[in-house]
Amino acid sequence: MAQAALTIDGLSVDFEGFKAVNGVTMTVDDGELRVLLGANGAGKTTLMDLISGKTKSTDGRVYLHDTDITNWEEHKIARAGIGRKFQIPSVFKELTVRRNLEVASCKKPGVFANLRFGFGAEAERNVDAVLELIGLIEEQDRIAAYLSHGQTQWLELGLLITQNPKIILLDEPTAGMTQAETHKTSEIVNNLKGRHTIIVVEHDMAFVREIAERITVLHLGQVLAEGNVEQIENNPKVREAYLGSKGIS
Amino acid sequence: MPVKRKIDWAIYAAFVVLMMLLPLVMDAFWLNRAAKYLVYGMLGVAVALSWGYAGILNLGQGLFFGAGAYMLAMSLKLASTTSLQQGSDKPVPDFMLWNAEPGAPTELCCINKASFLWLPFQSQWFGVAMGLILPVLLATILGTIVFRKRISGVFVSIITLALVLLVRLVVIDSQPVTNGFNGLTDLGWFNVAGLEFDPYIVPTYYLVAVSLSLVLVGARLLIDTRSGLILQAVRDDQNRARYLGFDVPAYQTFFFAVSAAIAGFAGMLYVIVSEFASPTFMDLTFSITMVVWAAVGGRASILGACIGAILINTISATVSETEGFAEAWKAIIGLIFVLVVLYLPRGLAGLAHDFIDRLLARKPAASPRALQVSETSSQLAE
């Protein structure tokens, strides 16, 4: 059996009486691609916030491999090996595409460690490879603010790939994308399979079918079901709670 | 890109050369004035670094300028023979005699309750060291508190603004040690190994010009480091940088402190060329004026902000001394600022960058020539 990359044990957060995430327990294996599904307010994004340190949990633990990273500061969790893509695409708008990726290629977090020039030939080669993967070679000298919505999303994916974390959290990576863009995004994500452990929050079922191996369904802050696409689509509890009686459209 | 960078450095080199040649065409009076404007240029660099590159709009840069100025002025006051001899045979600053505690001995240690603070300033180099240490210390403490708490944007500006006013009040209120509202005047000359920096001699101008050159190049190199790039990333999106694993407050605090050190350095040079330190350095209008210089020159350009400061001061000096404009010159400066903000949001430096871009992009035939030009100028720089 594969090793667990991320272990979540009874994780809860209490917002003054409202438990947005309530005792979630799940294990994501090394190299797995896991999709988090759930209606609005099911706690998907909050769960990502808890894993990445944006929100501090009130109960439960999070382990990255064997390291307890519960409630660490965000940048320390990131350094430990968890990268995150936000729902609203966020890149460094006034820097060029290439500069964006060069920032992500800096391996050291501190200000004094980075008081030097250049990034090294290896980092530059890596940046070239990532540009190729996200299809932005032509745009590498453009200021990020002038990219299209889809390109901005890919650039942010590129930042994560350059950072090379063990686990990648993707919050609705296809939000606001055209069909063609969505397809390209799924190609990028499929390309990452195996190299990284990936957790995706997504609503777009077409996209989910293209990439998903295992799905975890959240409902009212708790785990409702877990399984592959077929099992989830046919699970009566899921149908009732999230999909309605008509099933997945 | 490398061509553009070469052109960039060529412009820096041209500026430095121009600065060095100025004494050939200027008399002592104008040279002293020019030195003051170069000091303002250095303040422009400090503002560009914190506002343009770190995204921290500091409305209290005068605090660091003032801190640097007062630290050196204290030492130079103790080096002034005329002010020490007034009414006493003991080396005590004149204003302390006027503010002496009844019955206290006429000694620097104890003429009033806080006068002992002046004791180490009998060494000029202690004053110089403190002129850098105090601004850096203040900036580090302030930055650590503010940035760790993730305060950003306009709230940082309000805090810095309040702080500079607070310190100004304290300085004015501490009459016995600071000479209050009058500031420190009648100072001695800065002295390096017997060379006295009379504000109206050429070496003093060169002290300022060389200092500014070093600060310009140093700040520019700092921006070119990885940390400089990460700093700009932090400016654009703090959260994104944080989730890439960077210690965001450390970057902000470091560059805030560097900016403070530059302002403190400028404060010391100003004291050398103008022979006084005054609480007006910490007036709100002065700090805001610095921001205007940087905005006009281009806050995203180290050299641009520097030139902006020099240009505005030269214009305001010329205009204010032209009869007929004597009343209206402030309105003219205000008008320039409004026009720049409306039509040149990236300032004069932005205009220059666009111009260079157009030159480079115009014809393939034009680019080899541009390359040649930049190569000769970079040889010049070496």
Side-chain angles (χ1 to χ4, degrees):
Chain A
M1 190 180 149
Q3 223 191 340
L6 187 74
T7 310
I8 297 171
D9 183 17
L11 200 62
S12 304
V13 63
D14 193 332
F15 295 125
E16 292 170 11
F18 170 66
K19 294 202 161 181
V21 167
N22 190 0
V24 168
T25 298
M26 64 188 264
T27 311
V28 182
D29 287 340
D30 223 356
E32 188 184 339
L33 191 153
R34 177 71 60 98
V35 173
L36 287 181
L37 221 53
N40 283 331
K44 305 178 302 282
T45 300
T46 308
L47 184 57
M48 291 217 160
D49 287 349
L50 291 171
I51 296 170
S52 63
K54 188 175 183 208
T55 306
K56 305 285 175 236
S57 63
T58 44
D59 200 14
R61 322 289 321 166
V62 181
Y63 299 91
L64 173 63
H65 294 292
D66 291 328
T67 316
D68 185 348
I69 58 163
T70 317
N71 294 348
W72 282 15
E73 278 181 88
E74 295 103 309
H75 75 273
K76 288 189 178 147
I77 291 178
R79 281 293 146 189
I82 295 187
R84 175 171 187 185
K85 191 192 162 308
F86 291 92
Q87 202 167 342
I88 299 161
S90 50
V91 297
F92 307 121
K93 283 194 161 50
E94 290 181 44
L95 304 178
T96 64
V97 169
R98 190 176 185 89
R99 284 281 183 189
N100 266 274
L101 296 177
E102 282 174 346
V103 168
S105 75
C106 295
K107 294 294 171 213
K108 291 181 183 137
V111 58
F112 295 105
N114 285 314
L115 282 178
R116 55 186 67 204
F117 302 106
F119 300 87
E122 196 194 323
E124 297 292 357
R125 270 199 301 280
N126 188 29
V127 166
D128 286 332
V130 173
L131 281 169
E132 172 92 48
L133 181 66
I134 59 174
L136 291 179
I137 286 194
E138 303 283 312
E139 271 78 24
Q140 61 172 307
D141 288 328
R142 282 182 76 188
I143 301 289
Y146 303 135
L147 296 177
S148 73
H149 175 75
Q151 288 171 327
T152 311
Q153 297 270 31
W154 297 327
L155 177 57
E156 196 182 2
L157 273 177
L159 291 177
L160 288 181
I161 300 166
T162 312
Q163 181 197 359
N164 196 21
K166 296 184 190 105
I167 298 180
I168 295 182
L169 308 177
L170 302 176
D171 201 347
E172 298 198 26
T174 66
M177 281 189 175
T178 64
Q179 239 177 346
E181 286 173 334
T182 301
H183 181 68
K184 183 175 163 186
T185 306
S186 65
E187 273 180 6
I188 295 174
V189 172
N190 272 326
N191 212 308
L192 297 178
K193 262 192 208 171
R195 278 189 276 171
H196 303 270
T197 307
I198 305 171
I199 302 176
V200 189
V201 166
E202 190 52 74
H203 287 299
D204 185 335
M205 277 316 292
F207 179 69
V208 170
R209 284 199 195 90
E210 279 192 62
I211 60 163
E213 292 169 350
R214 277 182 85 74
I215 298 174
T216 298
V217 181
L218 290 179
H219 185 60
L220 301 178
Q222 290 176 313
V223 176
L224 188 67
E226 210 173 287
N228 60 30
V229 180
E230 203 180 320
Q231 287 169 333
I232 293 298
E233 279 179 330
N234 295 323
N235 186 317
K237 273 198 293 184
V238 175
R239 280 169 169 264
E240 196 182 332
Y242 170 49
L243 306 164
S245 50
K246 287 174 200 150
I248 297 173
S249 53
Chain B
M1 286 303 264
V3 179
K4 254 194 101 175
R5 175 161 295 180
K6 276 183 184 174
I7 294 178
D8 237 31
W9 279 113
I11 295 171
Y12 272 73
F15 178 78
V16 169
V17 169
L18 209 68
M19 207 159 52
M20 296 303 164
L21 293 179
L22 219 52
L24 298 179
V25 294
M26 276 190 180
D27 61 17
F29 173 74
W30 267 100
L31 214 51
N32 176 261
R33 263 195 170 180
K36 275 181 203 165
Y37 298 163
L38 295 188
V39 170
Y40 293 147
M42 196 181 284
L43 280 173
V45 175
V47 174
L49 202 59
S50 85
W51 187 24
Y53 285 92
I56 304 160
L57 177 54
N58 181 356
L59 290 181
Q61 198 80 37
L63 171 62
F64 304 133
F65 181 79
Y70 265 90
M71 290 301 104
L72 184 60
M74 283 165 79
S75 275
L76 296 185
K77 182 77 181 167
L78 293 177
S80 157
T81 45
T82 49
S83 91
L84 291 180
Q85 282 165 355
Q86 274 194 357
S88 157
D89 51 352
K90 297 273 173 54
V92 171
D94 46 14
F95 70 88
M96 283 193 188
L97 292 170
W98 312 329
N99 290 288
E101 299 259 316
T106 315
E107 300 277 357
L108 196 53
C109 66
C110 24
I111 188 163
N112 61 49
K113 281 185 197 118
S115 62
F116 69 91
L117 288 172
W118 279 63
L119 281 172
F121 288 91
Q122 287 168 322
S123 155
Q124 173 191 280
W125 295 110
F126 181 81
V128 171
M130 284 306 289
L132 290 174
I133 292 171
L134 186 62
V136 168
L137 198 67
L138 288 172
T140 308
I141 293 170
L142 181 65
T144 306
I145 295 170
V146 167
F147 301 131
R148 290 264 166 229
K149 284 205 166 297
R150 304 207 183 156
I151 298 168
S152 64
V154 69
F155 298 102
V156 180
S157 305
I158 293 169
I159 290 168
T160 52
L161 186 148
L163 201 62
V164 70
L165 291 181
L166 180 80
V167 173
R168 179 180 166 275
L169 269 181
V170 170
V171 168
I172 292 178
D173 223 41
S174 314
Q175 173 90 11
V177 260
T178 63
N179 201 17
F181 201 78
N182 302 309
L184 301 176
T185 52
D186 191 12
L187 306 179
W189 287 334
F190 188 61
N191 184 321
V192 180
L195 173 58
E196 292 199 309
F197 285 93
D198 173 340
Y200 290 92
I201 60 173
V202 175
T204 305
Y205 173 83
Y206 276 119
L207 176 70
V208 177
V210 170
S211 299
L212 179 58
S213 308
L214 293 178
V215 166
L216 271 174
V217 173
R220 180 56 210 263
L221 287 175
L222 199 59
I223 290 307
D224 276 348
T225 61
R226 278 191 237 161
S227 284
L229 182 64
I230 295 165
L231 177 76
Q232 295 171 63
V234 166
R235 170 200 66 196
D236 285 359
D237 198 323
Q238 270 192 37
N239 250 332
R240 182 68 273 171
R242 191 171 281 127
Y243 285 96
L244 285 176
F246 297 113
D247 188 1
V248 168
Y251 283 83
Q252 292 171 312
T253 306
F254 175 75
F255 283 90
F256 191 56
V258 170
S259 164
I262 294 174
F265 188 28
M268 288 196 279
L269 291 172
Y270 193 82
V271 164
I272 293 172
V273 294
S274 71
E275 295 179 282
F276 75 96
S278 132
T280 55
F281 295 170
M282 286 174 274
D283 278 357
L284 194 52
T285 43
F286 186 49
S287 289
I288 290 184
T289 307
M290 293 179 210
V291 172
V292 173
W293 300 337
V296 169
R299 65 185 159 116
S301 160
I302 299 287
L303 183 59
C306 174
I307 291 178
I310 296 169
L311 215 59
I312 291 194
N313 280 290
T314 313
I315 293 174
S316 60
T318 328
V319 174
S320 66
E321 283 157 22
T322 310
E323 235 175 320
F325 285 135
E327 299 293 319
W329 69 275
K330 279 199 171 162
I332 292 172
I333 295 295
L335 194 67
I336 291 176
F337 178 56
V338 171
L339 289 176
V340 165
V341 169
L342 280 179
Y343 296 106
L344 297 174
R346 291 184 300 139
L348 298 174
L351 195 68
H353 271 279
D354 291 345
F355 182 69
I356 292 169
D357 279 344
R358 217 166 298 161
L359 271 188
L360 288 177
R362 204 199 287 163
K363 279 178 217 152
S367 53
R369 220 193 80 216
L371 196 79
Q372 215 180 358
V373 168
S374 68
E375 262 168 11
T376 43
S377 341
S378 62
Q379 277 162 9
L380 204 75
E382 284 159 18

